[in-house]
Amino acid sequence: MDQPAISDYGFLSDCRSGALVGRDGSVDWWCPDRFDAPSVFGRLLDPDAGHWRIAPLAASRVERAYRPDTLVLRTVHHTPEGSVAVTDALAAELGARSHQLGMNSPAVLLRVVEGLTGRVRMHLDFAPRPEYGLLTPYLHEQPDGGVLAACGPVQLVLRGDGQALRVDGDRVAHTFEVAAGQTVGFDLAYAPVYGAPPARLDPVTTLADTVQAWEGYREIHTYPGRYPDLVRHSATVLTGLTYTRSGAVAAALTTSLPEEIGGDRNYDYRYSWLRDFAATIRAFWVAACPHEASRLFAWVTRSIGRVGEDPVPVLFGLEGERDISEHEVQHLRGYLDSRPVRFGNDAWRQRQLDVPGEVISAVWRMRHYLGDTFDEELREMVLGLTEQVARTWQLPDHGAWEIRGAERHYLSSKVFCWTAMNRAVELAPRLGDRADPRRWAAIRDEIRASILREGWNERIGAFTGAFGSPELDASALYLPVVHFLPASDPRMRSTIEVVERELGTEDGLVRRWDSDPAGFLPCSFWLVECLAMAGERDRAEALFERVIGHANDVGLLSEQIDLATGAQLGNMPQALSHIGLVAAAWRLSDPATD
């Protein structure tokens, strides 16, 4: 099965949905209704699951880049006949600016072809396959030269400036020429089949307006630290993964891209993880995006609701859905035959004891912004989560890596239980009469003693992944980040050295555990932070430079890197990787500032 590399894809977003377009000019992933909706183009996971390609007929040399501070992608094809640029975007609502992005997105994919030199023959191949490739639509030629594709719950209308598109069986195959100075625009509009018809937009005018919408968004945000271009771009990617209607941030755009080619750790990441919440808040705050941070905060409070006896789910749907039960599909072959392909994610059922600590830590970070007195919902959430930790911290769980096996006493889970109690004590004056900081402090100290006693392995010379275990786990690098121990503490210094020696690689990547076959980008950025906090600024900076070298040509990071080939692996773009980049850059700017 011949498929582009994961790093070949560029990311488009309208803050409602996202698309992936390859260097070959093919849109191979688009779920137009929202990030986690069924795809209409799914060739990413199967060659027969739909695509839309526009590219020269002749072989071409490709250069591409985003328009600055946008997710509008310009790809230049150089051919023997001449050069042509294809600019791709998901349309913003007409006149949308700043935080309005995505509120009323028209669900239109824009592709504008511009002749640069010579006269280039172009080919358009349009083969929509809704419902993840299960449906093949009827295609109807329209009086205006466009094509209507309709089946199941989906209708799509494809139009081109001055182009009479013709149906060829179950697809549109169209050839046209573009000369230097000539522009041909295409727009593909989606709508539910039983609702209003798809929007009709002028592609060239709407593209210009979409660029302005993104530029206006970034103009209101400033970042004073090091690597400003990288941080601004990662903040733009995180904004692109934000479902604006609710404020939730999707962990990634895709589902089932494998952690190992041919392996079965292929999960659906199109949801919002509470574990990422505190780190996302931190990244938005660092990148001077407080509005996004506050909207994400409101989403979390509403999604969690009243905290009861049951564990708080680790993830939710983008509008706060709790039950996102997982199922495997048989009709999709998977990326490079990596099966199974999964929709939904059963990690929501797991007990993961670090989650309350992540949320309470985020509340603490935003405490000055939230005010001296919390509103009822926020106060009840923090109180409920704190008491849940007090009741359950001694239980085993599935851990930060969501292992689908027996529960254990994972170090990182216990550390975030300590974090929860530590931050709750500091937040107590804002929590009303039911706050019990003296009892919470006693529990906090008990958790700390347990971690220092059971989590440290004298023979290994490091904090290990689980109590009583000799197995290393890179999540131990997070201890200084949450101020459990300073990076200069002898035990922490030893842990950093052992993790770097045993789990690190020559090019700066860090594996999560010893048997992990790939480098995990977030852990690699955690090591950068640890080295900077330990006073090793030069080593930290050199490591940061090596890690960011694994981004693709348009600055996108997936989840992992294949150690043998250097190829990107896992779902992409991965929010946690870009969050790690922002945090590491800020740490290099000022190691003492969170």
Side-chain angles (χ1 to χ4, degrees), residues 459-511:
R459 183 177 65 82
I460 303 296
F463 288 98
T464 54
F467 284 5
S469 170
E471 299 169 357
L472 289 171
D473 188 323
S475 63
L477 295 174
Y478 220 67
L479 270 66
V481 177
V482 297
H483 302 291
F484 181 84
L485 282 176
S488 57
D489 181 278
R491 291 162 296 185
M492 199 62 234
R493 286 290 305 158
S494 179
T495 298
I496 294 169
E497 292 171 4
V498 171
V499 168
E500 187 175 16
R501 182 179 67 245
E502 300 297 331
L503 300 183
T505 66
E506 291 183 1
D507 58 355
L509 298 171
V510 177
R511 295 172 297 149

Side-chain angles (χ1 to χ4, degrees), residues 10 20 49 58 149 325 419 518:
L20 292 179
S325 297
T419 301

Side-chain angles (χ1 to χ4, degrees), residues 3-11 20-28 43 52-56 58-65 73-78 84 86 88 111 122 551-556:
Q3 280 190 286
I6 291 171
S7 59
D8 279 354
Y9 288 104
F11 171 44
L20 292 179
V21 55
R23 290 174 59 86
D24 63 352
S26 183
V27 178
D28 288 348
R43 188 159 72 171
W52 177 23
R53 185 169 186 260
I54 298 178
S60 64
R61 177 174 60 85
V62 172
E63 299 174 311
R64 60 182 184 165
L73 184 64
R74 187 172 188 264
T75 302
V76 178
H77 298 269
H78 300 285
V84 63
V86 181
D88 297 317
R111 313 198 71 183
M122 303 290 293
N552 73 357
D553 59 321
V554 291
L556 298 179

Side-chain angles (χ1 to χ4, degrees), residues 1 48 55 71 89 102 107 150 168 210 250 267 309-310 376 387 492 501 531:
M1 182 174 170
D48 299 321
L71 291 179
D168 182 9
T210 298
Y267 300 120
E309 295 294 323
D310 294 332
E376 180 184 2
E387 292 299 338
M492 199 62 234
R501 182 179 67 245
L531 292 174

Side-chain angles (χ1 to χ4, degrees), residues 30-32 38-42 49-51 127-132 154 156 190:
W30 188 31
C31 304
S39 66
V40 296
F41 301 133
H51 67 280
R129 299 292 184 267
E131 291 286 312
Y132 301 113
V154 171
L156 298 164
Y190 157 85

Side-chain angles (χ1 to χ4, degrees), residues 190-512:
Y190 157 85
V193 73
Y194 297 111
R200 182 163 192 175
L201 303 175
D202 176 80
V204 176
T205 301
T206 306
L207 179 65
D209 199 63
T210 298
V211 170
Q212 290 183 29
W214 279 104
E215 290 174 344
Y217 194 90
R218 293 263 63 89
E219 283 173 2
I220 64 174
H221 299 134
T222 59
Y223 164 73
R226 300 189 62 190
Y227 303 100
D229 292 342
L230 291 173
V231 169
R232 285 171 68 88
H233 181 58
S234 285
T236 301
V237 172
L238 291 174
T239 301
L241 289 169
T242 300
Y243 183 71
T244 300
R245 293 176 180 178
S246 67
V249 177
L253 179 65
T254 57
T255 177
S256 301
L257 291 184
E259 296 181 10
E260 181 179 12
I261 300 300
D264 61 359
R265 289 182 58 84
N266 318 319
Y267 300 120
D268 194 345
Y269 276 13
R270 298 172 297 165
Y271 309 104
S272 195
W273 265 252
L274 295 188
R275 174 172 297 107
D276 300 347
F277 173 58
T280 307
I281 289 284
R282 181 186 181 205
F284 276 141
W285 198 256
V286 164
C289 307
H291 180 83
E292 288 81 354
S294 62
R295 293 196 69 245
L296 177 59
F297 213 93
W299 171 84
V300 165
T301 305
R302 287 192 300 269
S303 297
I304 290 177
R306 290 194 178 275
V307 180
E309 295 294 323
D310 294 332
V312 174
V314 66
L315 70 154
F316 290 89
L318 299 177
E319 293 184 354
E321 300 91 344
R322 180 168 292 213
D323 186 345
I324 46 177
S325 297
E326 179 180 300
H327 66 282
E328 300 178 2
V329 296
Q330 305 302 317
H331 72 280
L332 294 174
R333 293 169 55 179
Y335 180 80
L336 292 179
D337 289 323
S338 299
R339 295 185 180 90
V341 172
R342 295 181 171 99
F343 303 139
N345 196 307
D346 272 346
W348 78 273
R349 304 176 188 274
Q350 292 185 347
R351 176 166 55 215
Q352 298 182 21
L353 295 176
D354 64 309
V355 170
E358 303 275 8
V359 176
I360 296 172
S361 180
V363 176
W364 176 85
R365 182 172 298 280
M366 295 280 285
R367 63 195 183 281
H368 299 308
Y369 187 80
L370 294 167
D372 292 337
T373 303
F374 292 167
D375 64 37
E376 180 184 2
E377 288 185 3
L378 179 58
R379 185 173 62 249
E380 289 299 314
M381 181 186 75
V382 175
L383 287 167
L385 292 175
T386 302
E387 292 299 338
Q388 188 172 95
V389 173
R391 291 193 306 271
T392 64
W393 75 267
Q394 297 183 65
L395 298 175
D397 74 334
H398 288 281
W401 306 128
E402 301 177 354
I403 302 301
R404 298 193 174 192
E407 293 182 334
R408 301 175 69 185
H409 292 278
Y410 286 102
L411 175 79
S412 59
S413 298
K414 305 302 184 188
V415 168
F416 269 99
C417 288
W418 173 86
T419 301
M421 305 310 294
N422 189 48
R423 296 311 190 198
V425 169
E426 297 179 35
L427 291 171
R430 293 172 166 88
L431 298 177
D433 295 340
R434 290 168 53 210
D436 194 352
R438 181 175 298 179
R439 179 171 59 89
W440 294 347
I443 296 170
R444 175 198 63 193
D445 295 343
E446 185 181 358
I447 298 172
R448 180 180 179 83
S450 177
I451 293 169
L452 294 176
R453 182 179 62 252
E454 305 292 339
W456 172 257
N457 188 302
E458 187 67 36
R459 183 177 65 82
I460 303 296
F463 288 98
T464 54
F467 284 5
S469 170
E471 299 169 357
L472 289 171
D473 188 323
S475 63
L477 295 174
Y478 220 67
L479 270 66
V481 177
V482 297
H483 302 291
F484 181 84
L485 282 176
S488 57
D489 181 278
R491 291 162 296 185
M492 199 62 234
R493 286 290 305 158
S494 179
T495 298
I496 294 169
E497 292 171 4
V498 171
V499 168
E500 187 175 16
R501 182 179 67 245
E502 300 297 331
L503 300 183
T505 66
E506 291 183 1
D507 58 355
L509 298 171
V510 177
R511 295 172 297 149
R512 287 172 292 180

Side-chain angles (χ1 to χ4, degrees), residues 14 90-97 100-107 201 206 209-210 213:
D14 57 9
L90 284 169
E93 181 187 10
L94 183 63
R97 295 293 182 270
Q100 298 170 335
L101 268 169
M103 284 295 186
N104 295 290
S105 167
L201 303 175
T206 306
D209 199 63
T210 298

